[in-house]
Amino acid sequence: MMHHVRKTLFRFIAMLVVLDSCCAHLDLYLNLQEVKRLLGLSAELYYVRNGMLNEYALNFVVPVPAVMKELHFTWQSLAGRPLPYTIQVDHTAPDAMAPAFLNISSSGMVPTAPQTFSIALPCSGEVSAEVDVVISINVTLNRATNNVTRLNFKRRKICLLGSRHHFPQSNGSTGPGGTLRQGILSSNGRDEEAPAAVYVAISSACALATLLAIALLACYLRTNKSGMHNASLIRESRLGSSSSGGPFLAPAPVLSCGGSSSGSCASSRPRTATSLPSSNPADLHHRIAQLTIQRCRVRLKSVVLEGTFGRVYRGSYTEEDGLEEEVLVKTVTDQASSIQVSLLLQEGMAMYGLSHKNILSILGVSIEDHTAPFLIYPHQGYTNLKRFLQKCKLSPEGVAHTLTTQEVVDMALQIISGMLYLHKKRLLHKDLSARNCVIDDKLRVQIADNALARDLFPADYHCLGDNENRPVKWLAIESLTQRQFTTASDVWSFGVLLWELTTLAQQPYVEIDPFEIPEYLRDGYRLAQPVNCPDELFGVMAYCWAMSPDDRPTFPQLQVCLQEFYTQLTRYV
């Protein structure tokens, strides 16, 4: 399957080609097999073709998934003679990745016939990280005039904790254009070798130390089993279980604001502790009792959204003093089961008692015998955000509304404001998306609950064999694989929502099977940068999708950074 991200990358690199006027007298490209392996496409990708440089491709950072251990390049001198070259590989995280291996020497001659060489990027397995790698190749065209073409290839290698790459030592054979080296190429370009006896000695010492540690640990566990059990209970009572939405406490990362000198994006420790809204039946019954209104005061007018067993109506509610108020009414059809009715009430009451300009809180509940329950919300001209964004797309009738970057950032800031309020109230949303927000004609956004969302937007929810429909393509990796929901997982979903805003509600990962999403994310793949999306805005999204929850920004940090970006945008209006 050709993944959407890979196709988009290829369009950026291969189709939007910007050729430099200088002549490099060589071809340097990724052959058919390498492009297929890296991007999933049947094509060749040229960085230098007939001596002309593809500057755009050279400047693009290509992600390298965790499962890919080495890169391959193909080159050929077009000068009628071999051309001298030097290669150096540098990277940013020595704790995550060891020095690179090459199967050619760090200096030699570019051959006159096509030659493919490889650069291995060995992960240490000690930490998880996204490692920025720069491959520098200098090709000398004329030594007398010091005419040198300098090429820098940027890669971002995904290294995972516990995933260590091993590469065999070279056998000393040679290939065209240079001798096949033995050993490794360090970041400063020097060859490094180590005698086999040293490795044997180190391995033996490590094995002995491991055996001693295991023996000591077993002895300690036997003598302190009860004490450790009690300590574990105390620790769980303090921290709670993240899988059940209990208190969450973790250090927040530093989020760069693209050159801001104010220091306003410094880390904030600790993160806000959060908990799930109560699903206790007694508590739910108490909430419903406090919000119950008479059915005769509600009048249904027109259907706004409709699913298999749920509907959203536009209607009105008449107060006791005779004043009439426009409302939205969520209810179920006759085909709905008791479980679906229970979900409607439980999820619809999640934002009970909240008061914030960016939160759509429930206004009332109407439950009468032998009839479907009504959940009533204030209307105020709001429409579903996902439907609004889809209408903004170009159609034969024209464009309903053309969104500017400034408007998109303002909408994102409103959503952040609502999420800050939710987290301050110790509530997690767990399904933050465009379908669960509403917007009015003045682009005022409110976050809504997810009642009926599975039925009204079935394409956004998938069952992964666990008999539960979940918004798979909006969930953080830990929410997918471990059922962990925290403020950081809400941040991940906000990143996808921001991507929806910039793409006018396109489906994320549209060509990826839902069952493949967890592995796809673990391999380091993410949503591609939307067309016309500024780098600053896409940078915010990318921060939200960090593999580790601790590496993601907090909502206060996102608010500061996007507010600074919004201020910069207003200066040009």
Side-chain angles (χ1 to χ4, degrees):
M1 180 186 295
M2 293 189 298
H3 297 317
H4 175 66
V5 173
R6 294 172 180 172
K7 289 176 66 178
T8 306
L9 285 175
F10 190 79
R11 290 193 191 103
F12 272 126
I13 298 174
M15 296 178 65
L16 300 178
V17 175
V18 181
L19 296 178
D20 191 89
S21 59
C22 70
C23 185
H25 296 292
L26 79 154
D27 280 347
L28 200 155
Y29 58 96
L30 305 184
N31 60 27
L32 186 67
Q33 293 78 11
E34 180 69 1
V35 175
K36 184 73 174 178
R37 194 172 66 100
L38 186 63
L39 301 176
L41 297 168
S42 299
E44 291 183 331
L45 173 58
Y46 277 82
Y47 289 98
V48 185
R49 185 167 194 167
N50 295 326
M52 304 302 293
L53 303 184
N54 182 347
E55 293 284 0
Y56 190 93
L58 286 169
N59 291 328
F60 197 85
V61 180
V62 179
V64 181
V67 295
M68 190 173 294
K69 301 179 181 180
E70 56 187 6
L71 307 173
H72 299 91
F73 293 86
T74 302
W75 60 4
Q76 176 186 6
S77 169
L78 303 178
R81 67 183 189 284
L83 296 174
Y85 76 84
T86 61
I87 299 180
Q88 180 171 321
V89 183
D90 298 291
H91 63 82
T92 59
D95 55 338
M97 196 175 81
F101 287 80
L102 282 82
N103 71 339
I104 60 174
S105 60
S106 59
S107 61
M109 306 293 286
V110 179
T112 55
Q115 175 205 19
T116 298
F117 63 92
S118 66
I119 302 175
L121 305 176
C123 292
S124 66
E126 297 176 359
V127 295
S128 295
E130 296 182 2
V131 184
D132 290 325
V133 179
V134 177
I135 303 165
S136 302
I137 300 178
N138 296 331
V139 180
T140 302
L141 307 179
N142 190 325
R143 287 176 174 170
T145 60
N146 196 27
N147 187 356
V148 179
T149 295
R150 293 177 173 82
L151 307 172
N152 292 317
F153 303 91
K154 301 175 183 178
R155 299 291 186 267
R156 182 162 294 149
K157 179 71 172 75
I158 307 300
C159 288
L160 301 178
L161 179 65
S163 178
R164 185 173 185 179
H165 298 163
H166 297 276
F167 295 93
Q169 292 293 324
S170 66
N171 57 14
S173 61
T174 61
T179 57
L180 183 65
R181 57 173 300 177
Q182 299 179 7
I184 59 178
L185 180 69
S186 65
S187 59
N188 60 12
R190 294 193 301 267
D191 290 340
E192 298 177 0
E193 299 180 0
V198 174
Y199 294 116
V200 172
I202 293 175
S203 301
S204 301
C206 290
L208 181 59
T210 302
L211 291 174
L212 289 174
I214 293 173
L216 291 173
L217 180 60
C219 180
Y220 176 78
L221 289 175
R222 283 197 300 269
T223 57
N224 294 278
K225 183 177 181 180
S226 61
M228 291 181 66
H229 177 69
N230 292 336
S232 177
L233 292 177
I234 293 172
R235 183 169 59 254
E236 290 178 5
S237 68
R238 289 177 178 173
L239 298 181
S241 171
S242 58
S243 61
S244 62
F248 171 76
L249 195 64
V254 175
L255 175 60
S256 171
C257 286
S260 172
S261 59
S262 63
S264 54
C265 282
S267 298
S268 57
R269 301 178 52 143
R271 284 186 176 177
T272 305
T274 61
S275 61
L276 286 172
S278 172
S279 59
N280 187 306
D283 182 57
L284 184 60
H285 178 76
H286 175 70
R287 294 182 180 191
I288 292 174
Q290 287 186 312
L291 288 174
T292 297
I293 60 177
Q294 294 175 306
R295 178 69 58 90
C296 62
R297 297 184 181 276
V298 181
R299 184 163 62 95
L300 303 181
K301 296 181 179 179
S302 58
V303 176
V304 178
L305 294 171
E306 184 171 14
T308 304
F309 63 84
R311 288 196 189 106
V312 179
Y313 290 90
R314 182 177 179 179
S316 63
Y317 171 69
T318 305
E319 303 277 358
E320 293 183 2
D321 56 5
L323 292 177
E324 192 174 69
E325 179 182 357
E326 291 291 314
V327 295
L328 288 174
V329 180
K330 287 185 180 182
T331 187
V332 294
T333 64
D334 295 337
Q335 289 75 32
S337 66
S338 58
I339 295 177
Q340 291 158 348
V341 172
S342 176
L343 276 177
L344 171 69
L345 292 173
Q346 181 178 327
E347 294 174 345
M349 300 298 293
M351 295 185 180
Y352 160 80
L354 301 182
S355 179
H356 189 273
K357 65 178 182 178
N358 298 119
I359 297 292
L360 181 65
S361 186
I362 191 168
L363 185 65
V365 181
S366 176
I367 299 180
E368 295 184 0
D369 292 339
H370 310 297
T371 59
F374 281 7
L375 302 185
I376 295 94
Y377 303 82
H379 183 256
Q380 299 173 344
Y382 282 94
T383 185
N384 182 269
L385 177 57
K386 181 163 186 169
R387 294 294 178 89
F388 168 80
L389 293 172
Q390 290 171 337
K391 289 180 180 179
C392 287
K393 295 179 180 178
L394 187 64
S395 63
E397 294 78 22
V399 180
H401 185 94
T402 302
L403 288 179
T404 65
T405 301
Q406 184 176 337
E407 289 172 331
V408 167
V409 175
D410 181 64
M411 292 158 63
L413 284 168
Q414 293 182 61
I415 294 168
I416 290 175
S417 179
M419 290 305 298
L420 285 172
Y421 176 79
L422 277 183
H423 289 175
K424 183 179 179 180
K425 293 294 183 179
R426 304 174 67 82
L427 296 175
L428 299 174
H429 194 285
K430 301 201 298 184
D431 195 0
L432 184 59
S433 57
R435 64 184 168 272
N436 290 325
C437 293
V438 294
I439 187 171
D440 68 0
D441 54 359
K442 295 183 180 179
L443 301 186
R444 292 177 297 193
V445 182
Q446 288 186 329
I447 302 169
D449 57 60
N450 62 326
L452 296 182
R454 297 176 188 84
D455 179 58
L456 300 175
F457 299 93
D460 293 353
Y461 293 82
H462 301 90
C463 179
L464 300 185
D466 50 10
N467 202 28
E468 179 184 353
N469 278 331
R470 292 183 287 163
V472 172
K473 297 181 180 182
W474 278 261
L475 292 181
I477 180 67
E478 69 274 8
S479 302
L480 275 173
T481 58
Q482 304 171 40
R483 303 298 181 91
Q484 291 182 351
F485 291 91
T486 63
T487 54
S489 62
D490 273 350
V491 166
W492 180 297
S493 300
F494 170 78
V496 182
L497 172 52
L498 187 55
W499 186 88
E500 288 184 280
L501 292 177
T502 55
T503 62
L504 300 181
Q506 288 185 19
Q507 285 294 103
Y509 311 105
V510 66
E511 294 185 3
I512 310 301
D513 188 281
F515 284 91
E516 298 177 1
I517 288 293
E519 191 65 28
Y520 188 80
L521 296 177
R522 273 194 291 260
D523 287 346
Y525 291 106
R526 297 292 186 270
L527 292 167
Q529 182 171 357
V531 178
N532 298 326
C533 174
D535 292 340
E536 295 87 347
L537 206 53
F538 183 67
V540 172
M541 300 180 205
Y543 273 113
C544 295
W545 303 325
M547 183 69 71
S548 170
D550 294 342
D551 291 338
R552 297 170 206 156
T554 61
F555 276 110
Q557 292 171 334
L558 289 170
Q559 185 180 48
V560 170
C561 290
L562 285 181
Q563 186 61 58
E564 290 182 357
F565 183 45
Y566 181 81
T567 302
Q568 293 173 7
L569 291 173
T570 57
R571 293 173 183 170
Y572 300 100
V573 176

